[in-house]
Amino acid sequence: MTDELRSSGDRRSVHLERDYNTTPLDLWQAWTNPDRLARWLGTPAGPIVGTTGPVRISMGANENDWVDVAVVAADPPRLLQLSWEFTGEAAGRLRVQLVPITQNRTRLILDHDGLDASSTGYGAGWQAFLEGPLAALFGEPDDQAWTVRFDRALPDWRAKKLLRQG
């Protein structure tokens, strides 16, 4: 498990790595199948892969809890790169790489670039999603609310040293 807060110029990124007991194809479908994505991240307005424009993902009950994503690159089931435009924030880029470890174990490498000072919140948010509802799709217990996981992770993300890149 790797969690890092990185900096390049005036922008920041978060880097997380998690291992799941599943195949790269199954994990890919958790990210790209609208029904499965809705079970752990948010409800997309339609398919993400195969569309030409942005797709809105509703991520909560509040009407302002949404993100627009569009595919920048897709290499199933290994790599998914998305533009990421959360309401009221500058556009960023989400890169999800899936690396087989064994036949039924896959490492997810997530890099979310183009962030501002909100990067610690994104780190805690991604950690809460990856360790809770996404892991639950593959048999891990999800015994805590997302907000509890987020609140527990945020102090660690705020305490991380900023690693300089480039």
Side-chain angles (χ1 to χ4, degrees):
M1 180 172 84
T2 301
D3 295 334
E4 295 176 347
L5 183 60
R6 299 174 177 176
S7 173
S8 179
D10 63 345
R11 305 305 289 168
R12 294 181 177 181
S13 65
V14 294
H15 174 90
L16 298 97
E17 296 182 17
R18 297 293 183 278
D19 295 346
Y20 297 95
N21 291 321
T22 191
T23 65
L25 180 59
D26 191 34
L27 190 51
W28 172 267
Q29 290 170 346
W31 281 88
T32 60
N33 177 290
D35 293 332
R36 291 190 71 199
L37 189 63
R39 290 175 52 198
W40 73 273
L41 181 64
T43 305
I48 294 171
V49 176
T51 59
T52 57
V55 173
R56 181 154 294 175
I57 301 174
S58 298
M59 298 180 70
N62 185 318
E63 67 181 34
N64 292 324
D65 291 339
W66 54 264
V67 63
D68 284 337
V69 300
V71 173
V72 174
D75 182 15
R78 293 181 286 275
L79 178 68
L80 180 63
Q81 288 184 320
L82 302 171
S83 64
W84 182 275
E85 294 186 45
F86 195 77
T87 179
E89 295 180 4
R93 184 165 293 185
L94 180 68
R95 182 178 191 273
V96 176
Q97 183 179 358
L98 307 176
V99 180
I101 299 170
T102 65
Q103 185 176 1
N104 290 307
R105 191 149 175 84
T106 302
R107 175 161 297 143
L108 179 143
I109 303 168
L110 181 146
D111 290 290
H112 194 149
D113 301 322
L115 303 172
D116 56 20
S118 66
S119 57
T120 55
Y122 270 100
W126 281 119
Q127 182 177 336
F129 279 118
L130 299 182
E131 292 177 359
L134 180 59
L137 292 180
F138 310 110
E140 295 295 322
D142 186 17
D143 54 358
Q144 295 179 332
W146 182 90
T147 54
V148 171
R149 288 181 185 278
F150 176 85
D151 290 344
R152 189 180 68 221
L154 189 57
D156 289 340
W157 278 93
R158 286 184 173 153
K160 288 190 182 307
K161 300 284 186 205
L162 196 58
L163 301 175
R164 299 275 176 210
Q165 290 181 286

